[in-house]
Amino acid sequence: MDDLAWMVRDSTSAWLRGYGDLRFDQYESFYRKARKADGSPGDLEQINEEYAQWIEERPSRMLSLLNRPVCAHALIAFTVVWIAGQAVPHLAGIAPKSTGGLLVAAFIALRVFHRKRRKRA
């Protein structure tokens, strides 16, 4: 039987050669850290068990991505824009002059805030 592992990008053979995703690099760095921590060659079976446990304890990539501050800021910005998009037309129908004045004041405040921020940087 021919070895067709070279045809499968995510096969064990490809993973061991370091192709495809970053699993091999993660395992290699974990293995090197485990050997440095003990100062001895270490038991490969024990390191593999610790690696499996370490992988299980880590949060998923999607959760890690959503947990970043950039995503939180984007979610807050989209929420504020959506609420403003819903509230401004209703307020403009009730009190158009007051709403216009508040919008002008908000844009001026944003301009001042960004100008101060640029001066600090």
Side-chain angles (χ1 to χ4, degrees):
M1 181 173 177
D2 293 327
D3 182 16
L4 301 177
W6 59 272
M7 297 177 73
V8 182
R9 182 174 174 88
D10 197 29
S11 69
T12 305
S13 177
W15 182 76
L16 288 173
R17 287 184 300 217
Y19 300 138
D21 53 35
L22 297 175
R23 291 180 293 174
F24 180 79
D25 295 332
Q26 289 175 349
Y27 177 76
E28 186 70 23
S29 65
F30 182 85
Y31 177 74
R32 290 184 190 277
K33 287 178 187 175
R35 285 187 59 199
K36 283 183 183 178
D38 293 341
S40 64
D43 183 21
L44 186 59
E45 289 183 25
Q46 180 183 0
I47 291 174
N48 287 340
E49 290 173 6
E50 291 172 0
Y51 178 72
Q53 183 180 5
W54 179 70
I55 288 293
E56 288 176 8
E57 292 174 353
R58 289 180 48 207
S60 69
R61 288 183 181 171
M62 182 62 81
L63 186 60
S64 297
L65 178 70
L66 292 174
N67 198 24
R68 293 184 178 171
V70 173
C71 291
H73 292 289
L75 181 63
I76 291 169
F78 287 134
T79 304
V80 167
V81 168
W82 183 78
I83 290 172
Q86 299 294 317
V88 169
H90 293 294
L91 292 174
I94 296 170
K97 291 181 182 179
S98 300
T99 304
L102 285 173
L103 286 174
V104 168
F107 287 127
I108 291 172
L110 283 173
R111 186 80 175 163
V112 169
F113 172 74
H114 286 295
R115 184 173 292 155
K116 285 182 181 179
R117 194 173 184 189
R118 271 189 257 143
K119 285 183 181 179
R120 277 189 242 149

